Amino acid sequence: QAETFNIPSSLEGIKEWRQVAIDAGFGTVRYGSIQTPTYSTGQIGMYICNKAKKDVIENGVIHVTPEEVLELRKRFKSLKEETSYYQPRLQQSCFDLPNWVEKSIYSDEESKVGTDEL
């Protein structure tokens, strides 16, 4: 769990924890938001960290191999029960943040803020 951006003190915590991960040696640390209707703020956050400096997310797309996507779909289908909420595409879209959140978290990294991309 990586805080919620809906609470101002938690938004500050997101930036602080992100910096902790960077200081620990991760080359790229991205924040993602998972919409969770049963959670008190309706949203919960998480990080994806990569040891390499190359970002695994570019223009909202997580760079994974076709084999990794197939494996994820296979694992999801292997569940013996259905879910009413989760689907694999949620994992990719969770890195599409509101502009004000993205600007707050990545203010020191202009290339991450996608205000001109539509």
Side-chain angles (χ1 to χ4, degrees), residues 54-74:
K54 184 177 183 331
D55 202 346
V56 295
I57 304 164
E58 188 175 318
N59 295 326
V61 176
I62 301 174
H63 295 284
V64 294
T65 66
E67 293 80 17
E68 290 170 321
V69 172
L70 287 173
E71 178 61 26
L72 175 63
R73 288 186 178 148
K74 182 177 164 184

PDB file of all heavy atoms in Angstrom, residues 54-74:
ATOM      1  N   LYS A  54      15.851   3.044 -16.719  1.00  0.00           N
ATOM      2  CA  LYS A  54      14.854   3.108 -17.782  1.00  0.00           C
ATOM      3  C   LYS A  54      13.468   2.879 -17.193  1.00  0.00           C
ATOM      4  O   LYS A  54      13.224   1.916 -16.488  1.00  0.00           O
ATOM      5  CB  LYS A  54      15.144   2.051 -18.842  1.00  0.00           C
ATOM      6  CG  LYS A  54      14.187   2.129 -20.020  1.00  0.00           C
ATOM      7  CD  LYS A  54      14.539   1.119 -21.076  1.00  0.00           C
ATOM      8  CE  LYS A  54      13.687   1.188 -22.305  1.00  0.00           C
ATOM      9  NZ  LYS A  54      12.354   1.650 -22.211  1.00  0.00           N
ATOM     10  N   ASP A  55      12.575   3.780 -17.502  1.00  0.00           N
ATOM     11  CA  ASP A  55      11.206   3.676 -17.000  1.00  0.00           C
ATOM     12  C   ASP A  55      10.483   2.532 -17.694  1.00  0.00           C
ATOM     13  O   ASP A  55      10.566   2.380 -18.905  1.00  0.00           O
ATOM     14  CB  ASP A  55      10.473   4.992 -17.257  1.00  0.00           C
ATOM     15  CG  ASP A  55       9.285   5.188 -16.345  1.00  0.00           C
ATOM     16  OD1 ASP A  55       8.852   4.222 -15.700  1.00  0.00           O
ATOM     17  OD2 ASP A  55       8.793   6.324 -16.280  1.00  0.00           O
ATOM     18  N   VAL A  56       9.787   1.714 -16.918  1.00  0.00           N
ATOM     19  CA  VAL A  56       9.015   0.620 -17.501  1.00  0.00           C
ATOM     20  C   VAL A  56       7.660   1.108 -17.999  1.00  0.00           C
ATOM     21  O   VAL A  56       6.927   0.380 -18.643  1.00  0.00           O
ATOM     22  CB  VAL A  56       8.815  -0.544 -16.502  1.00  0.00           C
ATOM     23  CG1 VAL A  56      10.132  -1.191 -16.163  1.00  0.00           C
ATOM     24  CG2 VAL A  56       8.081  -0.082 -15.266  1.00  0.00           C
ATOM     25  N   ILE A  57       7.333   2.357 -17.700  1.00  0.00           N
ATOM     26  CA  ILE A  57       6.072   2.951 -18.125  1.00  0.00           C
ATOM     27  C   ILE A  57       6.394   4.176 -18.961  1.00  0.00           C
ATOM     28  O   ILE A  57       7.119   5.063 -18.531  1.00  0.00           O
ATOM     29  CB  ILE A  57       5.208   3.371 -16.925  1.00  0.00           C
ATOM     30  CG1 ILE A  57       4.967   2.179 -16.018  1.00  0.00           C
ATOM     31  CG2 ILE A  57       3.902   3.991 -17.389  1.00  0.00           C
ATOM     32  CD1 ILE A  57       4.464   2.562 -14.668  1.00  0.00           C
ATOM     33  N   GLU A  58       5.869   4.211 -20.160  1.00  0.00           N
ATOM     34  CA  GLU A  58       6.109   5.343 -21.038  1.00  0.00           C
ATOM     35  C   GLU A  58       4.799   5.718 -21.701  1.00  0.00           C
ATOM     36  O   GLU A  58       4.134   4.873 -22.306  1.00  0.00           O
ATOM     37  CB  GLU A  58       7.152   4.975 -22.094  1.00  0.00           C
ATOM     38  CG  GLU A  58       7.598   6.141 -22.935  1.00  0.00           C
ATOM     39  CD  GLU A  58       8.717   5.746 -23.876  1.00  0.00           C
ATOM     40  OE1 GLU A  58       9.638   5.011 -23.437  1.00  0.00           O
ATOM     41  OE2 GLU A  58       8.670   6.160 -25.023  1.00  0.00           O
ATOM     42  N   ASN A  59       4.389   6.975 -21.539  1.00  0.00           N
ATOM     43  CA  ASN A  59       3.110   7.445 -22.078  1.00  0.00           C
ATOM     44  C   ASN A  59       1.947   6.568 -21.626  1.00  0.00           C
ATOM     45  O   ASN A  59       1.044   6.267 -22.390  1.00  0.00           O
ATOM     46  CB  ASN A  59       3.159   7.526 -23.609  1.00  0.00           C
ATOM     47  CG  ASN A  59       4.150   8.555 -24.089  1.00  0.00           C
ATOM     48  OD1 ASN A  59       4.340   9.583 -23.451  1.00  0.00           O
ATOM     49  ND2 ASN A  59       4.799   8.276 -25.193  1.00  0.00           N
ATOM     50  N   GLY A  60       1.988   6.148 -20.374  1.00  0.00           N
ATOM     51  CA  GLY A  60       0.907   5.368 -19.803  1.00  0.00           C
ATOM     52  C   GLY A  60       0.907   3.902 -20.175  1.00  0.00           C
ATOM     53  O   GLY A  60       0.000   3.175 -19.818  1.00  0.00           O
ATOM     54  N   VAL A  61       1.933   3.443 -20.880  1.00  0.00           N
ATOM     55  CA  VAL A  61       1.996   2.050 -21.311  1.00  0.00           C
ATOM     56  C   VAL A  61       3.094   1.342 -20.538  1.00  0.00           C
ATOM     57  O   VAL A  61       4.234   1.797 -20.496  1.00  0.00           O
ATOM     58  CB  VAL A  61       2.280   1.952 -22.825  1.00  0.00           C
ATOM     59  CG1 VAL A  61       2.431   0.496 -23.245  1.00  0.00           C
ATOM     60  CG2 VAL A  61       1.161   2.624 -23.613  1.00  0.00           C
ATOM     61  N   ILE A  62       2.749   0.233 -19.886  1.00  0.00           N
ATOM     62  CA  ILE A  62       3.736  -0.581 -19.200  1.00  0.00           C
ATOM     63  C   ILE A  62       4.414  -1.449 -20.250  1.00  0.00           C
ATOM     64  O   ILE A  62       3.750  -2.147 -21.011  1.00  0.00           O
ATOM     65  CB  ILE A  62       3.082  -1.478 -18.132  1.00  0.00           C
ATOM     66  CG1 ILE A  62       2.347  -0.634 -17.099  1.00  0.00           C
ATOM     67  CG2 ILE A  62       4.124  -2.360 -17.456  1.00  0.00           C
ATOM     68  CD1 ILE A  62       1.554  -1.433 -16.111  1.00  0.00           C
ATOM     69  N   HIS A  63       5.732  -1.376 -20.299  1.00  0.00           N
ATOM     70  CA  HIS A  63       6.467  -2.160 -21.285  1.00  0.00           C
ATOM     71  C   HIS A  63       6.702  -3.567 -20.761  1.00  0.00           C
ATOM     72  O   HIS A  63       7.510  -3.786 -19.868  1.00  0.00           O
ATOM     73  CB  HIS A  63       7.806  -1.477 -21.611  1.00  0.00           C
ATOM     74  CG  HIS A  63       7.612  -0.154 -22.271  1.00  0.00           C
ATOM     75  ND1 HIS A  63       7.257  -0.027 -23.585  1.00  0.00           N
ATOM     76  CD2 HIS A  63       7.691   1.097 -21.788  1.00  0.00           C
ATOM     77  CE1 HIS A  63       7.136   1.249 -23.898  1.00  0.00           C
ATOM     78  NE2 HIS A  63       7.385   1.942 -22.819  1.00  0.00           N
ATOM     79  N   VAL A  64       5.952  -4.476 -21.304  1.00  0.00           N
ATOM     80  CA  VAL A  64       6.094  -5.898 -20.983  1.00  0.00           C
ATOM     81  C   VAL A  64       6.123  -6.660 -22.291  1.00  0.00           C
ATOM     82  O   VAL A  64       5.639  -6.187 -23.319  1.00  0.00           O
ATOM     83  CB  VAL A  64       4.953  -6.415 -20.078  1.00  0.00           C
ATOM     84  CG1 VAL A  64       4.995  -5.767 -18.711  1.00  0.00           C
ATOM     85  CG2 VAL A  64       3.606  -6.200 -20.730  1.00  0.00           C
ATOM     86  N   THR A  65       6.661  -7.835 -22.231  1.00  0.00           N
ATOM     87  CA  THR A  65       6.729  -8.657 -23.432  1.00  0.00           C
ATOM     88  C   THR A  65       5.368  -9.296 -23.697  1.00  0.00           C
ATOM     89  O   THR A  65       4.560  -9.458 -22.770  1.00  0.00           O
ATOM     90  CB  THR A  65       7.782  -9.767 -23.274  1.00  0.00           C
ATOM     91  OG1 THR A  65       7.338 -10.672 -22.251  1.00  0.00           O
ATOM     92  CG2 THR A  65       9.145  -9.204 -22.938  1.00  0.00           C
ATOM     93  N   PRO A  66       5.112  -9.685 -24.932  1.00  0.00           N
ATOM     94  CA  PRO A  66       3.861 -10.393 -25.220  1.00  0.00           C
ATOM     95  C   PRO A  66       3.717 -11.660 -24.379  1.00  0.00           C
ATOM     96  O   PRO A  66       2.614 -12.011 -23.971  1.00  0.00           O
ATOM     97  CB  PRO A  66       3.970 -10.729 -26.708  1.00  0.00           C
ATOM     98  CG  PRO A  66       4.889  -9.680 -27.262  1.00  0.00           C
ATOM     99  CD  PRO A  66       5.870  -9.394 -26.152  1.00  0.00           C
ATOM    100  N   GLU A  67       4.832 -12.310 -24.097  1.00  0.00           N
ATOM    101  CA  GLU A  67       4.789 -13.518 -23.270  1.00  0.00           C
ATOM    102  C   GLU A  67       4.312 -13.194 -21.855  1.00  0.00           C
ATOM    103  O   GLU A  67       3.555 -13.958 -21.256  1.00  0.00           O
ATOM    104  CB  GLU A  67       6.171 -14.185 -23.224  1.00  0.00           C
ATOM    105  CG  GLU A  67       6.628 -14.764 -24.542  1.00  0.00           C
ATOM    106  CD  GLU A  67       7.208 -13.723 -25.508  1.00  0.00           C
ATOM    107  OE1 GLU A  67       7.565 -12.603 -25.073  1.00  0.00           O
ATOM    108  OE2 GLU A  67       7.276 -14.031 -26.706  1.00  0.00           O
ATOM    109  N   GLU A  68       4.756 -12.055 -21.314  1.00  0.00           N
ATOM    110  CA  GLU A  68       4.333 -11.658 -19.972  1.00  0.00           C
ATOM    111  C   GLU A  68       2.832 -11.353 -19.940  1.00  0.00           C
ATOM    112  O   GLU A  68       2.148 -11.688 -18.977  1.00  0.00           O
ATOM    113  CB  GLU A  68       5.144 -10.458 -19.493  1.00  0.00           C
ATOM    114  CG  GLU A  68       6.592 -10.782 -19.207  1.00  0.00           C
ATOM    115  CD  GLU A  68       7.442  -9.559 -18.970  1.00  0.00           C
ATOM    116  OE1 GLU A  68       7.262  -8.538 -19.659  1.00  0.00           O
ATOM    117  OE2 GLU A  68       8.313  -9.626 -18.076  1.00  0.00           O
ATOM    118  N   VAL A  69       2.331 -10.721 -20.986  1.00  0.00           N
ATOM    119  CA  VAL A  69       0.894 -10.428 -21.063  1.00  0.00           C
ATOM    120  C   VAL A  69       0.101 -11.727 -21.138  1.00  0.00           C
ATOM    121  O   VAL A  69      -0.899 -11.894 -20.441  1.00  0.00           O
ATOM    122  CB  VAL A  69       0.583  -9.529 -22.283  1.00  0.00           C
ATOM    123  CG1 VAL A  69      -0.920  -9.391 -22.485  1.00  0.00           C
ATOM    124  CG2 VAL A  69       1.224  -8.162 -22.112  1.00  0.00           C
ATOM    125  N   LEU A  70       0.550 -12.660 -21.969  1.00  0.00           N
ATOM    126  CA  LEU A  70      -0.132 -13.954 -22.075  1.00  0.00           C
ATOM    127  C   LEU A  70      -0.122 -14.701 -20.747  1.00  0.00           C
ATOM    128  O   LEU A  70      -1.121 -15.319 -20.363  1.00  0.00           O
ATOM    129  CB  LEU A  70       0.507 -14.807 -23.167  1.00  0.00           C
ATOM    130  CG  LEU A  70       0.221 -14.366 -24.606  1.00  0.00           C
ATOM    131  CD1 LEU A  70       1.040 -15.193 -25.594  1.00  0.00           C
ATOM    132  CD2 LEU A  70      -1.257 -14.461 -24.917  1.00  0.00           C
ATOM    133  N   GLU A  71       1.003 -14.650 -20.048  1.00  0.00           N
ATOM    134  CA  GLU A  71       1.095 -15.316 -18.746  1.00  0.00           C
ATOM    135  C   GLU A  71       0.118 -14.701 -17.749  1.00  0.00           C
ATOM    136  O   GLU A  71      -0.562 -15.416 -17.004  1.00  0.00           O
ATOM    137  CB  GLU A  71       2.523 -15.236 -18.211  1.00  0.00           C
ATOM    138  CG  GLU A  71       2.705 -15.864 -16.847  1.00  0.00           C
ATOM    139  CD  GLU A  71       2.391 -17.354 -16.783  1.00  0.00           C
ATOM    140  OE1 GLU A  71       2.493 -18.039 -17.831  1.00  0.00           O
ATOM    141  OE2 GLU A  71       2.045 -17.839 -15.691  1.00  0.00           O
ATOM    142  N   LEU A  72       0.001 -13.380 -17.741  1.00  0.00           N
ATOM    143  CA  LEU A  72      -0.940 -12.711 -16.843  1.00  0.00           C
ATOM    144  C   LEU A  72      -2.370 -13.129 -17.164  1.00  0.00           C
ATOM    145  O   LEU A  72      -3.140 -13.479 -16.266  1.00  0.00           O
ATOM    146  CB  LEU A  72      -0.789 -11.194 -16.946  1.00  0.00           C
ATOM    147  CG  LEU A  72      -1.783 -10.369 -16.149  1.00  0.00           C
ATOM    148  CD1 LEU A  72      -1.635 -10.637 -14.654  1.00  0.00           C
ATOM    149  CD2 LEU A  72      -1.602  -8.902 -16.444  1.00  0.00           C
ATOM    150  N   ARG A  73      -2.726 -13.119 -18.437  1.00  0.00           N
ATOM    151  CA  ARG A  73      -4.079 -13.531 -18.831  1.00  0.00           C
ATOM    152  C   ARG A  73      -4.344 -14.989 -18.474  1.00  0.00           C
ATOM    153  O   ARG A  73      -5.429 -15.345 -18.023  1.00  0.00           O
ATOM    154  CB  ARG A  73      -4.283 -13.294 -20.319  1.00  0.00           C
ATOM    155  CG  ARG A  73      -4.397 -11.823 -20.657  1.00  0.00           C
ATOM    156  CD  ARG A  73      -4.734 -11.605 -22.102  1.00  0.00           C
ATOM    157  NE  ARG A  73      -4.870 -10.178 -22.344  1.00  0.00           N
ATOM    158  CZ  ARG A  73      -4.565  -9.597 -23.476  1.00  0.00           C
ATOM    159  NH1 ARG A  73      -4.136 -10.318 -24.498  1.00  0.00           N
ATOM    160  NH2 ARG A  73      -4.708  -8.301 -23.610  1.00  0.00           N
ATOM    161  N   LYS A  74      -3.346 -15.829 -18.677  1.00  0.00           N
ATOM    162  CA  LYS A  74      -3.479 -17.255 -18.348  1.00  0.00           C
ATOM    163  C   LYS A  74      -3.714 -17.440 -16.846  1.00  0.00           C
ATOM    164  O   LYS A  74      -4.598 -18.192 -16.431  1.00  0.00           O
ATOM    165  CB  LYS A  74      -2.206 -17.985 -18.790  1.00  0.00           C
ATOM    166  CG  LYS A  74      -2.215 -19.461 -18.572  1.00  0.00           C
ATOM    167  CD  LYS A  74      -0.915 -20.041 -19.119  1.00  0.00           C
ATOM    168  CE  LYS A  74      -0.658 -21.422 -18.629  1.00  0.00           C
ATOM    169  NZ  LYS A  74       0.635 -21.944 -19.090  1.00  0.00           N
TER     170      LYS A  74
END
